[in-house]
Amino acid sequence: MGNSYAGQLKSARFEEALHNSIKASLRSTSGDPQPIFTQLYLEPDQYPGNMDDIKPKVDLCRGEPKGQDLLNGQASNGLEELEEEDDSDTSSPPLPYLHQGPAPDGCCTMDGFCQAGKDLRLVSMATEPIEVPAGFELVGAKSSSVPEHILVCAVDRRFLPDENGKNALLGFSGNCVGCGEKGFRYFTEFSNHINLKLATQPKKQKHLKYYLVKNSQGALCKGPLICWKDCKTRQFSNSNASTSKPSSSSSLSCKENGGSNGHSSSPFSLSGIVVKCINNVRCVCVCVVPMALRVNGPTNGLGPDGHPPLLSPSQVSLGPQGQGYRTSDLGDNPVSSAMISGPPKKRHRGWHPNPLVPVPPTAVPVSAIRPIVCSPGLLPVAGVLQPQPVTAGETVIVPDNLLNTSGVRPVILIGHGTLPYFYGNVGDIVVSPLLVSCYKGNQLTEKTLASLGLTGSQLLSVETMILLTLQYLARLGSEQIPLREEFEQIVLKAMLVCPGGPSISPAQLPWLARLEASVSGGSVQVLVTYNSLGEGISESLRSLCDGPPYQQCLPTYVVIVCTSKMSGNEFCVLALGKYQARALAEGMLTTNEFLKEISYELITGKVSVLASHFKTTSLGDNLDKQLVRIQRRRKGHVIQPFQGDVTDHIHSQDAATMVPPSESGELLSEMFQIHPPQLNVARSLLSQVCSIADSGSQSLDLGRFRKVDFLVLVPPSHILVNQTAQRIRQSGVLVDLGIEDASSAHQRSDKYVVRLDGDVHGKMENFMRKVKQNPYTLFVLIHDNSHVDLTSALSGSVCHGELQGLADRVVNCQEVLEAMNLLVLQVSCFPFTLQTRQSRISVHNEVHWPANTDSLGELSPKDLVYFGLRDYSSSLQWGVASPILRCDDAFEKMINTLLERHPHLHSMVIRSYLLIQQYTEAMMALTSSPSLRDHITPETLAMVEDLISAPGREGTKGRGHMLLVRVPSLQLAMLARERLEDVRDKLGLQFCFAVLLGSPATELSLPRHFANRLRAWRGCEIEDWVPHTYEDLEGLPCIVILTGKDPLGETFPRSLKYCDLRLIDSSYLTRTALEQEVGLACSYVSLRVVKEPCRSMAPKDPETDKTSGPQDPDLELHMDLERPQSNSSAATRGPGSLAENRVSSSDIPDSSQKPSTSSCPPGGKTGSIMMEDGTGTTSTSPRRVKQECDSLGSATSRPSNAPPSFCSSSSSSSSPSTSSTQHPSQSTQCGRGSKSPRVSPRTVILSRAAYNLLAGESGSQLSSFSLLPHADVGWSSPLRPLFTPNLQGSEQSLFYRQWTVARQHHADHEAPPGPHPRRLLLSGPPQVGKTGAYLQFLRILFRMLIRLLEVDVYDEEELEEAMTDMSEATPPASTQWPDIEEFLKLPFDLLPRDPKFRRASAVYSYKMPKGLKDPKLEGESKMPVKRETVSIRLSMFAAHNAFHHCDQCHHYCKASPATQLSECTFHAFTFCSSMLGEEVQLHFIIPKAKEQHFIFSQQGSHLESMRLPLIADLSLLKSPIFTPTTGRQEHGLLNIFHAMEGTAHLHILVVKQYEMHHYRKYWPNHILLVLPAMFNSAGVGAARFMIKELSYHNLELERNRLEEQGIKRQEVWPFIVMMDDSCVLWNSHQPQDSSSLTNVSLKTVLQHMEATPKISMYAVCGARKWSSALARRLPALPFSRCHLHDFVMLNVELTQNVQYDLNRYSCEEVDFNLRANSSGLLLCRFNHFSLMKKQILFGGHKDFLSVILTPSLPSQYICAPDSEHTLLAAPAQFLLEKFLQSCSHRLFPKAVQNSSNPVLSIDSYLNIGPEVSVCYVNSRPHSTNMEHQGLVFSGLLLYLCDSFVVSDLLKEFSFLKGATLCVICQDRNSLRQTIVRLELEDKWQFRLRDEFQTANCSEDRPLYFLTGRHV
């Protein structure tokens, strides 16, 4: 039907189907043709829907595959060429093709394009989106006119064959994917449309060649051949062979450098090498190719045409080569990347084999292809690989039945040279690239060589390599296998010691090689050949088959050396040792692959022989029958569950209801406690986050966040989710972060933990939505156990249908990477896979757990310390009779015997069956069949005996131990659980212990009677309580069979005593795989277990001791089941302050709260737990405090009436010692009590292979530390420095970052070049306390963000005011503004009451309180006093520093990118200062946007004045705000945008000239007023002076300007605001409500003050300083006349003649206020406004203190004139002020502590120390001074007095006898003139030695002063 040409009429569908049906029935071998109507009405979806369904079912479902199929990568071109000549599929003779006429006019005829002109070539369609209708497949067609291209077509699946080459409907239905034309019903028509231009008849079978599949990048590429023929398969002669699918361990397979970890680019991932047979030919010739030889193309190992080329094992030389043979990078799939090659075809009669190949009588050769040799990373030249002729001598035929005959599947270790092609029974050999990288020294770069301390000349010759290999193999033990890492170190050592190696001639080599091998005692043999390696391999394989079956005398290794003159010396190694060959083959499989292999063996029944072997007991009885007999004998009775012996039987119904007495003692107060290491780690994480924020990379802005939220991602384990949710619940972190309230936190904690399973995407979408919607919340995504799945999303999707690549999709998705408010914290015990060259985490962002050794010295012997992997290794040196790390030698012997008997089965299957039998017989031996004891290994017997007998011991209340058995395969684990449960029940032990399957995919399932027992122990009253985590099983005797590919980080209870890891063998040859298994046993133990290993024990005969079980308690390092009574005091509380460790009140269990799903002590999976007898009991459990939650149970809040819950009554610390819950001290072993509780490490039982590696340096092999760190990474270089076990933390990370690379399927393989800035890594050993640490990190991160939103403000109560009865003067309390008349009646309070002046001299007044000075101040005047502060949360009206960023005020402080600094204009402003008596030039820097506040000259260049509003203006704010600031460009609160509520205002920063650039940088949008250079070292007085002078001058200018416009002078607004740079918040106090204090804005305060009636009559207005006491005691008056400072509104007109002292550094405001008041001006304080001042520790006048090297004695501030005194680099005035305030007792001895005789100070107020009172007098005429009649002064201070001070004035005052005088002047001359002018010598006596000067440097003029005595 396919012979018609285009244009012919299309037949009716029915006719076609009928025709097809008849033809199919004629050709069908089954005789059961498909009914015609089925064909006609068959729906497309009834056909297999995807490629996976069509793959050849050499699969688990087919019990008997009929032979072996070729799975050597993609079909080679050679195969294609052979097939080109294939006959048609029809039975009719070929008809000559009717050539078509020319194509219709206007059609495209170009090759590779359809007639519509659309490109169909795969290379151009690969990434195009193609619409494929339902039921259609994309296939590739080949055209002879464009042989290098494949054309893409869409064909109806029904017209294509199924996986057996059958059931393709005849005919054709297809669409053109180029132009979209549909419905081609004839292949001829279709071939014309796509321009196939055929010379022969178009046939679909001939031209539709391949399925097209998508590779890991989503691009279309060539897939497997379409199987057009029924593949008749060959029968094996041996039944075993014929029924067995060649397993992946038997496959001839290699892993590929950078290959995929079981992630193929095709869906055809079979776990074996499958050999397709060719037309029933008996023996198949196959070129077996290590997959390592695939040339890595751009797409996951694809060739140039998007399809993995098949390569031959060509030259593997020591010369430079491409990514050729793979080193033993365990963890890549050997063959899963391969695809089924096409079916062989019938040949034309005239075809002859290639004469070059000597064809064996039963072999058909397959053309081989040479690999393209290219340097790593380079692609081979584009184009198709051309076949090469196979030369003679390179062919090896693998004998039939090799495995069955010899009992061994040989492993060929690639060495150096050409490996042959293998034909025939290739499933029985394995090619391994394990050591090949060690021979590639000459591929090392110079840089790598240099880092190893080598040069190119030190590389070893091939001959030396051969001898080294021999030497290494000869020294390996009988139970050791070669390890790549170990041999690499030998090679490296040889290079360093003996550069280049000795020169060896070809004649010497065989002799030397045999000499090296002779030391092995026959286990290593050398075979020398002279033609090719194939010759030697062939001979070895032949001798294997010819020998007697299962011969015992095989050498372990045969090293084949070929000394050919043509190709130089070549060699390879044949591993023939049964153990070694099996271990090498199994070690090549990834975990996924060997689990798949085991699953296949179980499903296909390959294990039946083994299973039948175990149906009998070791004594030869039928096991099942014997168990049934025992069951009948019991007659419904069972062994008593506890408080009895195995001989005590009770009725099963009684046993089911037996419950231990409920523990209803005092309730323990539970606390989630964070221990110092956890706290340190949390702080390190926080400091790392701060470093990211401070790095300047703009990647994290902590200032903008108000909250912290988080999500924890965990591997797909239900138990781990429950455990983590429980930790979150107990820690109270949800309440502390304010994201849940106390009531909801309990129920909602599980919403914060997400399993990485199919549901993760929806939950992550919700989370990311939250992240986007809350830009001011900092989110932390915690990826816990992040090493578990690091497959890239692309390769994960193809892998065995498992949930791989999910983590990559979630953690590395673009949204997560780009969110600026999201931190990613990856947490791992085995972070090695995150620490490669391509790591996404910066090495600086890693936080490592501190080592144990750091803290051991500080602990008491009762403390618990972490016992981890290194401790287990070092425990082997303890020399105890019963070590905690053991290898069960008896078990290993049994296993070795079984392994030899069953070479076809994976060793884990055999180990599992033996393990089940061991446990079965141990239970029988201990209950009913003692004769079986001799057949059970002592280890097994001891464990089972402990399991059964521990609960029966007196005082245990039925508590026992947990035994953990690790069975990675789910099917084997289910088998073990089922078998052990069945045996247990038949033996009557069903109430003694539980058998649980611990699978990540399911929740715990525990029989009700065991749950009741757990409830009783924990005093839990909830009827339906069930355990949710392993920790909840505390104290329950049970066997937990833990299954799953990896342990996922679940925490086990303290009652876990044994970890049985005997199934973990040589398949676990990466560091992570091995260490995470032993990590199950890591926990916290008593310090003395670590410090005093029991060396003193007398070793007994180990066999008898072990067999009889642990008789002597001292022989077991295990903690006693029940702990003795403890009398230790409550002082055994955990370290760290409670404030720091105990979290907020939210953590204390609320009596009303419901208990959670489980109730044990609080902790984090990793947090430490502290339990105390907190309710009135006098004793606590000794050192319960230090237990880590990792290894302890978890607890939640319990109702207060619930009895205490114990998580660790068995192997944790002691039981409660309260009288009501006392348990007799019982030891686990035979009832002997121990002196004090001891928590011991768990016992770990290992296989020999794992034991050798963990024994570390103490063993004969290298330690597990040196292994490849993880299966997902590879070594970056064949040689590297030795990894020493002491490399830890950051050093280890740097090592791995230098020497490992991510494999192709690893999520980091295509990571961006730099690390991600917001990603951190927390690494710590298993079960150490990481969860507790990261939960604490969240808490302190939140506290820090709150601290960023909080400020420390001064909280100091004002000095009490002595209120007189002023009721008549008191205005009504509700007054908003002062009434000027009433206000004038108020007296001025002379005393500066602000606490900042408490170290300043008091101002004398009549109302001065007695004993004013705080007695504390006496004697400590020399010491600076710490001022009281309190932390206040910033409100929306706060002033901010330069670190504040928010969207509203962004424009206010930050310059836009467009506005550069040049956008500001620079203006000089000159005026004449009457005070200075000279012109002053100030400079304004005015941003363009602020120029509207100023008046410029007509030309616009000259600044004339600053605009001032009118008093009558209704504008919001009239007063310009001046802020003098120095040294605080970052920390000063200069951003008052929010304080002004965003209202327009004029704010001017007054800065010193040398700081101008700093302030311009931080505040580009602010107006700067720059002081003249002469004020660079001046104090704040100078700034205030200049502000006031400028403002007055400006007021005059504005008055003149506005007068010209007809406005009266007095209408111009005369006020300015002078505000410190530390004013942060303003408050309003409601007079009627004492408790009400409201945050208000600065705008509100200013508007209120500016609205005061008759405002221009007030000189200064201000607010009071806030203190917490204000809320308690409101001011009696709404307004006061008193000192104002920090924030003042100043009337520059009224105060024109009162100046700030420009020389002053301190107290300039008190000085100014006193002068203003004595000049009759009004100072009004608004008492219902208060101001908060932030404590700023930087800048201000403190800068001078740092400039001066403060001398130890204040007397050093001054010196005698002209003396050789050390001079200080500080201004004279500053030194003078410092001297006066610290030396008042020397200057004015009579005034000290004498408030009734103050020091008289004229015209100025200077601080002369807090012990002295000062009476201020103004010398100006008309000034108002205090009445001083009758007042006797103790001293006189004249400071720079002017002409108003005259001698007559001084005569008005009286002084005490002995009163002292101090006169201060600018220079010595004026000092003398002043003495004379004031006639001081009449009353005062002076001495020459009483003249002093300030000790400042010579460039600054000093101040002089003279002291004298009143006579």
Side-chain angles (χ1 to χ4, degrees), residues 509-816:
L509 182 62
W511 180 81
L512 284 170
R514 290 192 178 101
L515 184 65
E516 286 285 6
S518 63
V519 301
S520 68
S523 69
V524 180
Q525 289 183 9
V526 177
L527 181 61
V528 180
T529 68
Y530 297 96
N531 292 325
S532 71
L533 289 175
E535 193 182 337
I537 295 172
S538 212
E539 191 178 319
S540 304
L541 296 180
R542 203 162 42 247
S543 62
L544 264 181
C545 282
D546 296 347
Y550 289 90
Q551 52 198 317
Q552 299 305 313
C553 53
L554 283 178
T556 311
Y557 304 99
V558 176
V559 179
I560 298 167
V561 180
C562 169
T563 56
S564 143
K565 291 196 171 71
M566 297 284 291
S567 53
N569 290 325
E570 299 177 340
F571 73 100
C572 66
V573 179
L574 207 55
L576 301 179
K578 290 189 170 70
Y579 171 78
Q580 286 78 4
R582 179 192 279 274
L584 285 168
E586 289 178 358
M588 289 172 65
L589 301 179
T590 64
T591 316
N592 273 340
E593 287 158 7
F594 82 65
L595 291 178
K596 218 172 164 191
E597 169 63 28
I598 289 169
S599 166
Y600 169 80
E601 289 176 9
L602 291 169
I603 291 170
T604 55
K606 281 177 77 172
V607 294
S608 51
V609 182
L610 185 67
S612 60
H613 169 80
F614 284 112
K615 279 185 178 148
T616 54
T617 66
S618 302
L619 297 171
D621 305 317
N622 182 304
L623 183 62
D624 290 333
K625 286 180 182 168
Q626 193 171 350
L627 287 169
V628 170
R629 273 201 302 277
I630 295 166
Q631 189 178 15
R632 285 193 189 130
R633 213 181 302 149
R634 283 193 293 106
K635 297 177 182 162
H637 281 67
V638 295
I639 292 168
Q640 189 167 320
F642 50 91
Q643 291 173 344
D645 196 75
V646 284
T647 54
D648 301 335
H649 286 64
I650 58 171
H651 197 276
S652 59
Q653 286 169 348
D654 300 337
T657 54
M658 259 184 90
V659 173
S662 189
E663 315 222 337
S664 53
E666 295 286 333
L667 187 65
L668 291 178
S669 77
E670 293 173 355
M671 261 193 334
F672 176 88
Q673 198 196 351
I674 297 297
H675 290 294
Q678 288 174 305
L679 195 56
N680 293 341
V681 168
R683 285 175 179 155
S684 303
L685 282 168
L686 183 65
S687 102
Q688 214 40 63
V689 170
C690 295
S691 316
I692 296 171
D694 295 342
S695 64
S697 61
Q698 309 295 310
S699 39
L700 187 65
D701 176 8
L702 289 177
R704 61 184 300 166
F705 301 120
R706 307 275 182 278
K707 282 179 75 179
V708 171
D709 201 340
F710 69 98
L711 186 70
V712 183
L713 296 172
V714 295
S717 156
H718 287 273
I719 290 166
L720 190 55
V721 170
N722 296 337
Q723 176 181 303
T724 310
Q726 199 165 290
R727 304 280 192 253
I728 291 171
R729 194 159 45 238
Q730 292 155 1
S731 68
V733 70
L734 294 176
V735 180
D736 288 351
L737 298 184
I739 45 183
E740 298 286 350
D741 54 26
S743 54
S744 69
H746 198 74
Q747 285 81 36
R748 292 185 51 81
S749 58
D750 53 349
K751 299 274 181 290
Y752 293 86
V753 189
V754 172
R755 246 186 10 255
L756 281 164
D757 58 12
D759 302 336
V760 72
H761 294 300
K763 292 175 182 172
M764 267 308 285
E765 274 170 24
N766 294 340
F767 178 68
M768 289 314 294
R769 199 174 303 120
K770 253 176 32 179
V771 171
K772 283 179 187 151
Q773 288 166 356
N774 298 285
Y776 297 112
T777 299
L778 178 57
F779 289 86
V780 185
L781 182 62
I782 298 162
H783 183 197
D784 206 348
N785 288 290
S786 50
H787 60 278
V788 169
D789 167 28
L790 275 172
T791 314
S792 73
L794 290 171
S795 27
S797 53
V798 195
C799 176
H800 308 317
E802 291 186 15
L803 289 170
Q804 288 196 300
L806 275 178
D808 179 36
R809 276 191 203 137
V810 170
V811 180
N812 297 328
C813 75
Q814 213 50 39
E815 281 180 301
V816 169

Side-chain angles (χ1 to χ4, degrees), residues 412 606 978 995 1672 1738 1791 1804 1900:
I412 298 166
K606 281 177 77 172
E978 189 184 318
V995 179
R1672 299 192 297 274
F1738 309 89
S1804 69
D1900 194 11

Side-chain angles (χ1 to χ4, degrees), residues 10 133 136 154 172-176 180-186 189-190:
K10 297 179 182 178
F136 276 68
F172 178 77
S173 171
N175 300 342
C176 173
E181 190 175 336
K182 296 186 169 63
F184 290 96
R185 304 292 297 129
Y186 299 96
E189 179 188 14
F190 184 66

